[in-house]
Amino acid sequence: MADRIYNPNPELAKKAHCKSMQQYKTMHEKSIEYPEAFWGEIAKEFYWETATSNDKFFSYNFDLNQGDIYIKWMEGATTNLSFNLLDKNVKCGNGEKIAFYWEGNDPDDYSKLTYKKLLQETCMFANVLKSKGVQKGDRVAIYMPMILELPIAMLACTRIGAVHSVVFGGYSSDSLAERIMDCKAKVLITADGVFRGEKLLLLKNICDDALTKVKAHGHEVECCVVVGHLRRLANPHGKITGETKNGVNGTSNGGSSEPNVSWDDDRDCWWHEEMEEAEPSCYPVWVAAEDPLFILYTSGSTGKPKGVLHTTAGYLIYAATTFKYVFDYKPGDVYWCTADIGWITGHTYVVYGPLANGATSVIFEGTPFYPHNDRYWSVIDKYKVNQFYTAPTAIRSLMKFGDELVKKHDLSTLKVLGSVGEPINSEAWLWFYNHVGHGKCSIADTFWQTETGGHVITPLPGATPMKPGSATFPFFGVLPELLDEDGRVIEGEGEGYLVFRRPWPGMMRSLYGNHDRFQTTYFDRFHGFYCTGDGARRDADGYLWVTGRIDDMLNVSGHLMSTAEVESVLTEHSDVAEAAVVSKPHPVKGQCLYCFVTPNEGRIFSKQLSDELKRKVREKIGPFAQPDVIQHAPGLPKTRSGKIMRRILRKIAIGDKNVGDVSTLADEAVVDVLFQLRP
Ligand code: ATP
Ligand code: MG
């Protein structure tokens, strides 16, 4: 169905960092056979205060039978992240280059930050943190909107060796409190509030709630630094003209519509007041290669979130290398990743990867639908974006509005399109390719996880012939395998558990404060392998197709199927915007298919549509796959990062109101609606 091959645009391939499959294969082989030489060469592009010795460059144990799991890269080396990202770029003449364009929720709010200014702001805020008693190894929680102070706060932590834990600014006070307690943060950084579309979120008030809960549990956050973001929006929805305003460089207007922000004089302070006094330089703290860099919680799609721990040197070289090759970034390009910095995609591909390459990127505060449903296309047009990285959920929700909105804007600067977060169905892939990329851009369907730190299976834009829906081949240093139930390696074509045989530099090192959970979650199922928890299929050409969570696999009358396969067929129908499929126990077949379907804008859900869809699945996959139930779903339960939470849908399918942990759910109301609409 989707096995047609789309070759990279020859114009793009000619100038790409990786120009052909031959070159990719040679580089991949080298990265596997001689990891020290391969990554050692790349490490030379960065600054090391102390060098590593070659015999200690790389060591690990993936086999629980041999003892505890560990992963170490570049032992003995010392460095500083912010120094490599900022000072180095300024020193080599890029000080005046734009690091970030900031595009606010309101199209009239925008700003920009050069590398030089970013370095200065980072140093100043690092000094503020020091004045609050933050030292190397201390944890700093960050709960902020997509404003420039967010990367500044993260970089300031790295400047002094503090460990940041960014919590997505859409989480509830309970989720925030849980994460603050788990990492025992000393300081919390936030903003008074933010507008997302028309909606006002009073972040500081949510923080106060969270800090009260944290205190009740016996942990105390010593200080809360608050960016007066709403204060500087003189009139949040008013029109003010001017070159630059409301970003870091913008004027701070006392504010006509200052929000009601709760305050604790002993604990809270304003960011701008602290910065007034701060020194503009700060000598970097040199940290060891394996010192912690950050903690980040997974999306919670499958259960209780896990506090993934990443360390310094390996993460740096891996973020830098994947960014360069996967987006084929060149000096002068403008890159835009729509992910919130509160997710791993935002950490690696809004902050660390781009800055490590001296790149210019866009940070966007708003939503794809505000003020109109063409906001993404207008931002690409405005900044002449060359690489655009987003998620299937966004693509599907924008497809609903048809391609007229896309056509209104000039997207001719685009070269590479990226997708991440979920398997991308071929329908969405083709729409992205044809309508957004005009059939001339490469699509990087990047498979990776919070745990992997960076892309692990992905096409390279100038090299890899693409198949819609396939993440294709492993990145440098990555050695994937497919295993069957009994842990036997599946050679050639087949489907099984997706695992990795050995670590790459950017891989997680532990779950914070819980190495046991780390070992049992990822290394106990198959000894000697890192288990992703996802299933995948390898086709006759060796392409890898990630089919979704192992837990989401279906077994109908003895036929093993993945939900992604069925969903892909359902969304091919022109009336269907989104679909999610789960299994439901069945007395005869073992399991049967229960499908949730969201119709396109302006289309209605009907018995006729339901019958057509059943027929389609039977024709495309086989009679055994015919769904038993097709339910109307005006909306689907999603994590705040936009992923469908199938474990909740499984509960709805069987009518069990006991849906479990919903703390990471974006909108709880959809669950009730779906219970009501059960046929
Ligand atoms: P939790 O681990 O708490 O359940 P999560 O797995 O959703 O949450 P993330 O680390 O953000 O948290 O997501 C990684 C998962 O996203 C992968 O394991 C995979 O299931 C899915 N994924 C990401 N990118 C792709 C892709 N390109 N193709 C298919 N699946 C993808
Ligand atoms: Mg996961």
Side-chain angles (χ1 to χ4, degrees):
M1 138 192 78
D3 274 17
R4 192 188 137 188
I5 288 192
Y6 292 78
N7 282 308
N9 180 345
E11 282 307 302
L12 193 152
K14 241 195 299 188
K15 297 182 219 138
H17 291 301
C18 185
K19 298 178 171 53
S20 65
M21 274 311 266
Q22 196 44 51
Q23 187 187 347
Y24 159 73
K25 282 183 187 147
T26 310
M27 289 177 75
H28 187 260
E29 266 166 38
K30 180 176 176 192
S31 72
I32 297 298
E33 274 178 48
Y34 310 104
E36 292 84 358
F38 184 87
W39 295 109
E41 199 56 43
I42 290 170
K44 280 188 198 148
E45 288 164 33
F46 296 96
Y47 177 79
W48 309 94
E49 175 71 3
T50 329
T52 168
S53 60
N54 231 1
D55 57 320
K56 281 193 175 164
F57 195 86
F58 169 44
S59 66
Y60 74 101
N61 172 40
F62 260 23
D63 188 350
L64 274 176
N65 297 329
Q66 313 282 325
D68 281 344
I69 305 298
Y70 69 89
I71 301 142
K72 290 179 182 168
W73 286 86
M74 297 187 71
E75 258 202 299
T78 60
T79 190
N80 180 281
L81 247 281
S82 75
F83 186 86
N84 272 297
L85 271 37
L86 306 176
D87 306 58
K88 204 176 131 269
N89 276 312
V90 172
K91 283 194 171 94
C92 69
N94 278 338
E96 296 310 322
K97 193 173 173 185
I98 306 292
F100 292 121
Y101 286 110
W102 178 74
E103 172 80 6
N105 181 60
D106 190 304
D108 283 340
D109 289 339
Y110 51 86
S111 172
K112 57 191 174 193
L113 200 56
T114 62
Y115 273 87
K116 192 168 149 208
K117 182 87 172 144
L118 180 57
L119 170 61
Q120 189 190 334
E121 299 277 335
T122 297
C123 287
M124 287 167 76
F125 196 66
N127 288 326
V128 171
L129 289 176
K130 280 204 273 189
S131 76
K132 303 293 171 194
V134 178
Q135 294 177 350
K136 178 171 181 265
D138 285 344
R139 274 82 54 219
V140 173
I142 301 179
Y143 181 72
M144 286 170 96
M146 289 285 280
I147 55 178
L148 292 170
E149 284 85 353
L150 172 49
I152 292 169
M154 294 162 76
L155 292 163
C157 289
T158 72
R159 191 82 181 168
I160 57 173
V163 182
H164 60 71
S165 173
V166 181
V167 180
F168 171 56
Y171 275 130
S172 64
S173 62
D174 279 345
S175 303
L176 174 61
E178 194 190 330
R179 286 159 178 74
I180 290 174
M181 287 187 287
D182 191 69
C183 73
K184 304 215 169 32
K186 194 168 191 172
V187 168
L188 171 63
I189 307 164
T190 188
D192 46 3
V194 65
F195 278 91
R196 297 258 308 152
E198 299 279 353
K199 206 164 126 198
L200 172 64
L201 289 170
L202 291 174
L203 298 179
K204 173 60 168 60
N205 293 359
I206 298 173
C207 286
D208 282 350
D209 240 20
L211 292 181
T212 307
K213 285 171 191 152
V214 167
K215 203 166 171 179
H217 282 84
H219 174 69
E220 188 147 9
V221 169
E222 291 166 23
C223 165
C224 179
V225 187
V226 188
V227 177
H229 182 51
L230 291 176
R231 289 165 55 110
R232 64 188 168 197
L233 304 176
N235 173 7
H237 281 158
K239 304 276 177 257
I240 306 167
T241 48
E243 237 299 286
T244 292
K245 64 184 204 55
N246 300 337
V248 161
N249 293 329
T251 48
S252 182
N253 185 314
S256 49
S257 52
E258 210 171 300
N260 223 347
V261 173
S262 52
W263 205 257
D264 174 344
D265 279 330
D266 294 330
R267 186 195 64 200
D268 304 341
C269 57
W270 288 108
W271 173 293
H272 61 273
E273 286 178 10
E274 298 294 318
M275 290 288 265
E276 267 168 31
E277 314 268 289
E279 286 289 324
S281 66
C282 173
Y283 191 75
V285 170
W286 304 115
V287 304
E290 285 299 337
D291 274 342
L293 174 63
F294 65 81
I295 299 162
L296 182 66
Y297 293 83
T298 57
S299 298
S301 310
T302 52
K304 198 174 148 57
K306 302 173 277 276
V308 168
L309 179 74
H310 283 284
T311 57
T312 305
Y315 178 82
L316 167 65
I317 56 179
Y318 200 69
T321 313
T322 46
F323 178 80
K324 174 178 165 181
Y325 284 96
V326 175
F327 300 115
D328 197 41
Y329 186 86
K330 305 277 175 44
D333 285 348
V334 176
Y335 159 90
W336 180 27
C337 167
T338 65
D340 194 284
I341 292 175
W343 311 120
I344 189 66
T345 304
H347 276 56
T348 310
Y349 300 112
V350 176
V351 182
Y352 292 113
L355 295 178
N357 284 273
T360 297
S361 33
V362 179
I363 289 189
F364 176 49
E365 180 185 48
T367 86
F369 317 110
Y370 182 81
H372 304 293
N373 295 326
D374 62 346
R375 187 66 189 279
Y376 273 8
W377 322 129
S378 84
V379 173
I380 294 175
D381 193 350
K382 175 173 175 185
Y383 294 98
K384 309 286 168 237
V385 170
N386 304 109
Q387 291 91 357
F388 176 60
Y389 192 27
T390 192
T393 179
I395 301 167
R396 287 191 297 259
S397 61
L398 292 169
M399 270 171 80
K400 274 197 291 206
F401 307 113
D403 35 286
E404 286 309 309
L405 290 180
V406 188
K407 285 196 190 125
K408 271 175 51 190
H409 302 275
D410 177 8
L411 307 185
S412 62
T413 48
L414 289 171
K415 295 191 287 191
V416 178
L417 304 173
S419 168
V420 61
E422 289 179 288
I424 178 165
N425 49 306
S426 51
E427 201 66 15
W429 194 101
L430 289 169
W431 188 82
F432 204 28
Y433 184 79
N434 289 320
H435 296 287
V436 181
H438 300 109
K440 69 176 183 60
C441 298
S442 288
I443 295 194
D445 175 2
T446 59
F447 168 81
W448 61 298
Q449 309 176 296
T450 310
E451 294 89 336
T452 68
H455 308 137
V456 282
I457 300 179
T458 175
L460 300 183
T464 318
M466 297 161 278
K467 293 189 187 187
S470 168
T472 75
F473 302 107
F475 191 73
F476 307 136
V478 176
L479 209 52
E481 300 281 8
L482 301 181
L483 303 183
D484 69 13
E485 283 294 335
D486 303 318
R488 281 186 298 250
V489 173
I490 299 168
E491 308 279 358
E493 263 182 273
E495 183 160 352
Y497 292 83
L498 176 63
V499 301
F500 295 107
R501 202 180 259 287
R502 58 146 101 154
W504 53 95
M507 180 183 188
M508 74 188 303
R509 303 299 195 255
S510 190
L511 287 176
Y512 184 75
N514 201 342
H515 203 66
D516 280 347
R517 188 177 176 206
F518 168 69
Q519 300 193 143
T520 47
T521 309
Y522 306 103
F523 294 94
D524 211 11
R525 180 74 177 78
F526 302 110
H527 288 192
F529 298 94
Y530 164 83
C531 185
T532 59
D534 288 303
R537 176 167 68 82
R538 192 187 291 110
D539 72 15
D541 301 322
Y543 279 68
L544 289 167
W545 301 73
V546 177
T547 48
R549 324 269 172 169
I550 308 270
D551 306 349
D552 297 337
M553 295 292 278
L554 303 163
N555 192 334
V556 180
S557 309
H559 298 271
L560 207 58
M561 282 187 281
S562 64
T563 50
E565 230 179 318
V566 185
E567 286 161 8
S568 199
V569 174
L570 296 173
T571 50
E572 272 172 27
H573 194 289
S574 59
D575 283 359
V576 175
E578 247 188 325
V581 178
V582 296
S583 68
K584 184 186 166 184
H586 187 279
V588 182
K589 299 190 252 188
Q591 290 179 327
C592 68
L593 294 177
Y594 194 113
C595 310
F596 295 84
V597 166
T598 310
N600 267 321
E601 210 48 17
R603 300 301 159 104
I604 47 161
F605 185 87
S606 62
K607 165 112 182 22
Q608 191 199 342
L609 174 63
S610 163
D611 290 344
E612 274 175 35
L613 291 173
K614 284 184 184 172
R615 189 162 10 98
K616 226 170 150 281
V617 176
R618 198 173 56 223
E619 283 166 8
K620 293 248 169 168
I621 303 180
F624 65 90
Q626 167 157 315
D628 278 39
V629 185
I630 305 234
Q631 174 178 334
H632 178 209
L636 291 166
K638 291 186 180 174
T639 61
R640 284 165 207 265
S641 55
K643 298 182 200 204
I644 300 168
M645 288 169 94
R646 292 188 182 71
R647 67 181 160 88
I648 292 180
L649 293 175
R650 276 195 289 271
K651 295 281 187 179
I652 295 168
I654 57 172
D656 179 357
K657 294 248 170 179
N658 196 359
V659 293
D661 184 358
V662 289
S663 64
T664 63
L665 193 63
D667 176 11
E668 285 183 37
V670 299
V671 178
D672 288 335
V673 172
L674 291 180
F675 270 113
Q676 278 158 25
L677 286 174
R678 287 183 76 229

